[in-house]
Amino acid sequence: MTSEFLGLPGAVEATGADAGVAAHYGDPFREQRALARGEAVVDLSHRAVLSVSGSDRLSWIDSITSQAVTGMRPGESSETLLLDQHGHLEYAVGLLDDGETLWMLLEASEAPGLLDWLTKMRFMLRVEPTDRSAEFAVIGAVGDAGLPAAAPAGVPLIWRDPWTSVAPGGHQYAAADGHPAADWHWTQTIVPRTALAEIAATRPAAGLLAAEALRIAAWRPRAATEVDERSIPHELDWLRSAVHLTKGCYRGQETVAKVHNLGHPPRRLVMLHLDGSDAVLPQPGDEVMLGDKSVGKVTSSAIHFELGPIALAVLKRSADPASTLTVATGDTRVAAAQEIIVPPDAGATAGVPRIPRLGAVRR
């Protein structure tokens, strides 16, 4: 489906997982500022919208995913993860219940696999998973954007990202002081797909580059970028918003409990402050080097309107957290200072003093 936002003046289409929507409209920094002030919206109509109807929907999702959702109230937002039997991340899903239907927001590439798996897992329960992406689209914003939200059960479908604070039953590995997520008030509004043309014509738009820069600055992981076939939630500090540590059993729970209580995640998420003097922005997949040794890879990168060039990267736990790293991008080495998100002591030795955060300027 071609988005109506791509018809706006200056629209440049994104690539990769974000193909189908605009990367920017000609001025990414202006768009970032407008988005941060809550004055612009972001076209996320390439994302998938699934629904689960039926009276068993909440207890069913509670039993097969990482989050406790049986007590969700109409209009309440949550987030959950589906893991394989070894605790590796398979799907990351935003959840919103309207009292009659549970709505699921996720990357488009994940929707067919998740829908197929959910359909196979119904057994005799009163649940009906459905792909609603042809009917509904998603628009992102900072704060409530006053968009014409769909409300089939009388509850406006506005998902408020729970990353802003530690969810009940969750756990944060990042140092508690000054977490940038406190300023992350991201919403995703589900709108009728037929409303996209009017929204594009009447609301200031920011591209995906603007949204990604703000997301990286908030240390917010994303399935399409930070997750690979080896990822476990602890490595990305995703226990913070999407895992309830004391709920009932679900697939992968043994790994979640073992790493959190007895071990350490083998890798850790960091934010990198990049040297911009060469005007080279490292790209996802670029190797992060400690001397001549590769210690990880860049997963997301952007130029932030205040912080400058920044990136998220997943490093080996053993990588020295005090070292200045370099990123190998093409024939260039870009110096990178670490800002610790998941510390090396995450897990069983959480009582050990944490690595202090880099004193970065924040909005």
Side-chain angles (χ1 to χ4, degrees), residues 27-199:
D27 193 344
F29 285 163
R30 179 191 59 78
E31 295 165 30
Q32 254 189 75
R33 294 186 181 95
L35 182 61
R37 292 193 300 264
E39 298 172 357
V41 300
V42 180
D43 178 19
L44 301 176
S45 61
H46 63 313
R47 303 276 178 91
V49 178
L50 307 185
S51 69
V52 180
S53 58
S55 57
D56 294 328
R57 65 189 183 282
L58 293 180
S59 59
W60 179 53
I61 294 300
D62 185 282
S63 70
I64 59 177
T65 73
S66 63
Q67 188 58 276
V69 300
T70 53
M72 281 185 73
R73 300 181 300 275
E76 185 176 357
S77 301
S78 186
E79 183 181 30
T80 197
L81 306 174
L82 278 80
L83 311 175
D84 69 13
Q85 61 268 33
H86 302 295
H88 297 127
L89 272 155
E90 291 193 329
Y91 304 102
V93 185
L95 300 176
L96 174 65
D97 195 75
D98 66 8
E100 296 181 1
T101 301
L102 181 67
W103 298 84
M104 304 178 128
L105 304 177
L106 67 161
E107 305 284 351
S109 61
E110 297 181 332
L114 177 58
L115 182 62
D116 180 65
W117 188 77
L118 291 176
T119 300
K120 292 176 181 177
M121 294 295 291
R122 287 181 301 174
F123 303 115
M124 301 298 290
L125 297 173
R126 292 164 294 181
V127 292
E128 186 61 45
T130 307
D131 189 341
R132 309 295 292 276
S133 305
E135 304 168 64
F136 299 101
V138 178
I139 300 292
V142 173
D144 291 341
L147 294 165
V155 176
L157 299 181
I158 303 172
W159 182 75
R160 295 170 174 84
D161 192 349
W163 184 253
T164 302
S165 59
V166 181
H171 182 87
Q172 176 178 301
Y173 288 135
D177 60 307
H179 198 297
D183 296 324
W184 175 250
H185 302 294
W186 185 248
T187 62
Q188 293 184 17
T189 301
I190 301 175
V191 302
R193 193 166 284 275
T194 54
L196 282 178
E198 180 181 355
I199 296 171

Side-chain angles (χ1 to χ4, degrees), residues 305-320:
F305 73 101
E306 289 183 338
L307 301 177
I310 55 175
L312 292 177
V314 175
L315 308 182
K316 296 177 181 178
R317 185 174 73 88
S318 59
D320 183 359

Side-chain angles (χ1 to χ4, degrees), residues 201-250:
T202 58
R203 301 300 297 267
L208 256 295
L209 292 180
E212 285 293 278
L214 299 185
R215 178 185 69 82
I216 292 169
W219 302 351
R220 210 311 178 205
R222 178 184 169 191
T225 51
E226 275 63 61
V227 174
D228 62 23
E229 69 281 356
R230 295 187 293 146
S231 297
I232 60 175
H234 319 62
E235 296 175 332
L236 306 175
D237 211 13
W238 228 327
L239 273 63
R240 170 187 174 85
S241 62
V243 177
H244 195 290
L245 290 168
T246 60
K247 68 183 286 292
C249 292
Y250 56 91

Side-chain angles (χ1 to χ4, degrees), residues 266-270 272 288 295-297 313-320 325 338:
R267 301 181 298 175
R268 56 186 182 86
L269 185 69
V270 301
L272 300 177
V288 181
V295 294
K297 291 187 177 182
V314 175
L315 308 182
K316 296 177 181 178
R317 185 174 73 88
S318 59
D320 183 359
L325 307 172
Q338 298 181 61

Side-chain angles (χ1 to χ4, degrees), residues 319-346:
D320 183 359
S323 294
T324 297
L325 307 172
T326 59
V327 179
T329 179
D331 296 328
T332 303
R333 287 288 189 98
V334 177
Q338 298 181 61
E339 187 164 8
I340 306 301
I341 300 175
V342 177
D345 65 341

